[in-house]
Amino acid sequence: MTEFAETSAALDQLEFLISVNMSVIHVAGAINLPVWVLISLSPDLRWRSEGNTSPWHPSLRLWLQPELSDWETVLKNIAEALRTDCKTLRLG
């Protein structure tokens, strides 16, 4: 994909997205797609260091590392949330 319009069209075919912090999550947020974003312990200024929501895109849920380089805990928490939260997403 070479344009954000193409990215948006592809994302519109999804029910839900899990991603790291990159431009595609902003496109997904702009079309109100539910997105769970994996965020490093020291996020850049776009993300708050507290809470799990985004002031920029209400459909984003942020998953911040509890400790530096601890992606295992983040992925474990996401897996657990997927088991319980699927009905609040567009799934089904």
Side-chain angles (χ1 to χ4, degrees):
M1 290 179 260
T2 59
E3 297 181 10
F4 285 127
E6 293 173 334
T7 303
S8 178
L11 288 169
D12 197 43
Q13 302 303 308
L14 300 178
E15 300 290 330
F16 173 65
L17 176 67
I18 298 175
S19 179
V20 296
N21 181 13
M22 53 194 255
S23 63
V24 71
I25 65 169
H26 297 284
V27 177
I31 65 170
N32 205 35
L33 180 71
V35 183
W36 289 359
V37 185
L38 288 72
I39 303 289
S40 66
L41 182 62
S42 299
D44 60 50
L45 296 176
R46 291 173 289 181
W47 312 116
R48 295 188 239 171
S49 59
E50 296 179 13
N52 68 350
T53 60
S54 165
W56 316 112
H57 305 296
S59 66
L60 270 59
R61 182 172 175 183
L62 308 178
W63 297 86
L64 185 69
Q65 286 180 330
E67 295 181 18
L68 186 62
S69 300
D70 184 4
W71 291 114
E72 184 175 342
T73 299
V74 174
L75 293 173
K76 178 183 170 192
N77 292 340
I78 287 174
E80 184 178 317
L82 278 172
R83 289 196 259 324
T84 59
D85 293 353
C86 280
K87 40 191 146 162
T88 63
L89 304 170
R90 290 192 201 175
L91 307 176

